[in-house]
């Protein structure tokens, strides 16, 4: 019997609507090869919907997604809609409503891509940033008072719980034990006096259960510098919500283009659907021109297949990504070429 997976598609805004169709094409090709199928349900939840109806998604949006096996998202963001509206109106409710507490962002320097960093060589830089995804610095605790007056105040509280930090650390240590056996924890306990020493304490506690993993910790400012100066040094990096967000974008730039970078928002227990999305955002400056790089979405789709239990199909996709970059001169504009989104996708599918 053929396994069928129910996939929710949220194209969103800008180039999000342009990169999901290539990802679907690739998924369908490898699905036929590996004996599974995918059925798609598309949702028009976006900033344009917000401008029309006053909400990024309907009130029962989470319930509409609940029976899906996974969610594939394009991008959100639109001129005239503040970023906090799009994020808190769609992405964060999904991440928290489905307990997607691991944000997983792999970074590789591929052969055929020139990194702007001299020490970032193909085959040597292969990092995974494990970002805590549901609490930390991006909490909802806080507010604003005396709006518009000289004494106006804004308070934002960072929330770190033992359960929330421990579970993402366990995921990161387990991943490190399956990869190179090295883990780096991002901290700032020399300047942030409560939450970061708490984070460090829990890292030490959880590390005791993984004696096979060598680990260290780096202050976030020094770690950012070392990501540029010594990118090949790192294997698995675990970080809080804010630190992980920044580090993973920096690492994607080190790899040569943020247009390549994928992300997974995982509920490791699989009690709820997980969500997969490229890192690049909606890129309104190039939207509608047919020149967006589809690799971030395609690699995210590969991560989705791996999560759904099809690691061989996922490897086919990542191998094809590596081949199209190493063996052809077909490139989208962000990679220094002239290929359109469709031309680049066609070449990738030929290699599949």
């Amino acid at each position: 019997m053929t396994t069928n997976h129910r996939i929710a598609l949220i194209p969103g805004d800008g180039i999000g609507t342009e990169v999901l169709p290539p990802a679907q094409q690739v998924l369908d090709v490898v699905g036929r090869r590996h004996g599974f199928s995918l059925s798609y349900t598309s949702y028009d939840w976006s900033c344009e919907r917000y401008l029309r109806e006053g909400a990024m998604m309907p009130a029962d949006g989470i319930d509409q997604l609940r029976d899906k096996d996974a969610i594939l998202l394009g991008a959100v963001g639109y001129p005239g809609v503040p970023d906090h509206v799009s994020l808190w109106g769609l992405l964060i409710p999904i991440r928290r409503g489905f307990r997607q507490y691991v944000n997983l962002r792999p970074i590789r320097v591929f052969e055929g891509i020139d990194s702007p960093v001299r020490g970032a060589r193909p085959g040597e830089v292969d990092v995974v940033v494990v970002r805590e995804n549901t609490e930390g610095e991006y909490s909802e605790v806080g507010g604003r008072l005396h709006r518009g007056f000289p004494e106006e105040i804004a308070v934002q509280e960072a929330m770190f719980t033992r359960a929330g930090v421990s579970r993402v650390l366990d995921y990161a240590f387990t991943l490190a034990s399956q990869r190179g056996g090295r883990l780096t924890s991002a901290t700032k306990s020399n300047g942030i006096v409560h939450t970061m020493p708490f984070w460090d304490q829990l890292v030490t506690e959880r590390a005791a259960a993984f004696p096979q993993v060598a680990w260290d910790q780096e202050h976030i400012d020094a770690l950012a510098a070392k990501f540029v100066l010594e990118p090949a040094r790192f294997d698995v990096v675990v970080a809080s919500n804010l630190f992980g967000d920044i580090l993973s974008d920096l690492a994607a730039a080190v790899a040569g283009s943020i247009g390549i970078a994928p992300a997974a928002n995982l509920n490791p227990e699989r009690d709820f659907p997980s969500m997969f999305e490229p890192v690049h955002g909606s890129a309104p400056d190039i939207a509608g021109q047919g020149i967006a790089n589809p690799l971030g979405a395609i690699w995210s789709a590969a991560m989705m297949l791996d999560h759904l239990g099809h690691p061989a199909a996922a490897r086919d996709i990542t191998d094809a990504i590596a081949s199209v970059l190493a063996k052809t001169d077909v490139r989208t504009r962000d990679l220094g070429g002239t290929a359109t989104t469709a031309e680049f996708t066609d070449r990738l599918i030929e290699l599949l």
Side-chain angles (χ1 to χ4, degrees), residues 218-234:
E218 294 275 2
H219 293 304
I220 185 64
D221 42 354
L223 183 54
K226 290 174 182 178
F227 257 39
V228 175
L229 297 173
E230 306 175 75
R233 166 184 165 180
F234 301 101

Side-chain angles (χ1 to χ4, degrees), residues 59-78:
D60 65 346
I62 297 297
D63 288 335
Q64 291 188 39
L65 300 174
R66 196 175 300 276
D67 67 342
K68 303 301 184 292
D69 296 308
I71 304 160
L72 191 58
L73 183 138
V76 292
Y78 193 77

Side-chain angles (χ1 to χ4, degrees), residues 279-296:
V279 173
H280 52 57
S282 61
D285 56 322
I286 63 167
Q289 299 178 41
I291 59 173
N293 187 341
L295 281 185

Side-chain angles (χ1 to χ4, degrees), residues 38-56:
L38 303 106
S39 56
Y40 305 100
T41 304
S42 189
Y43 300 86
D44 70 341
W45 303 345
S46 62
C47 290
E48 291 192 58
R49 186 189 189 280
Y50 173 82
L51 292 174
R52 289 195 317 267
E53 304 185 33
M56 295 288 295

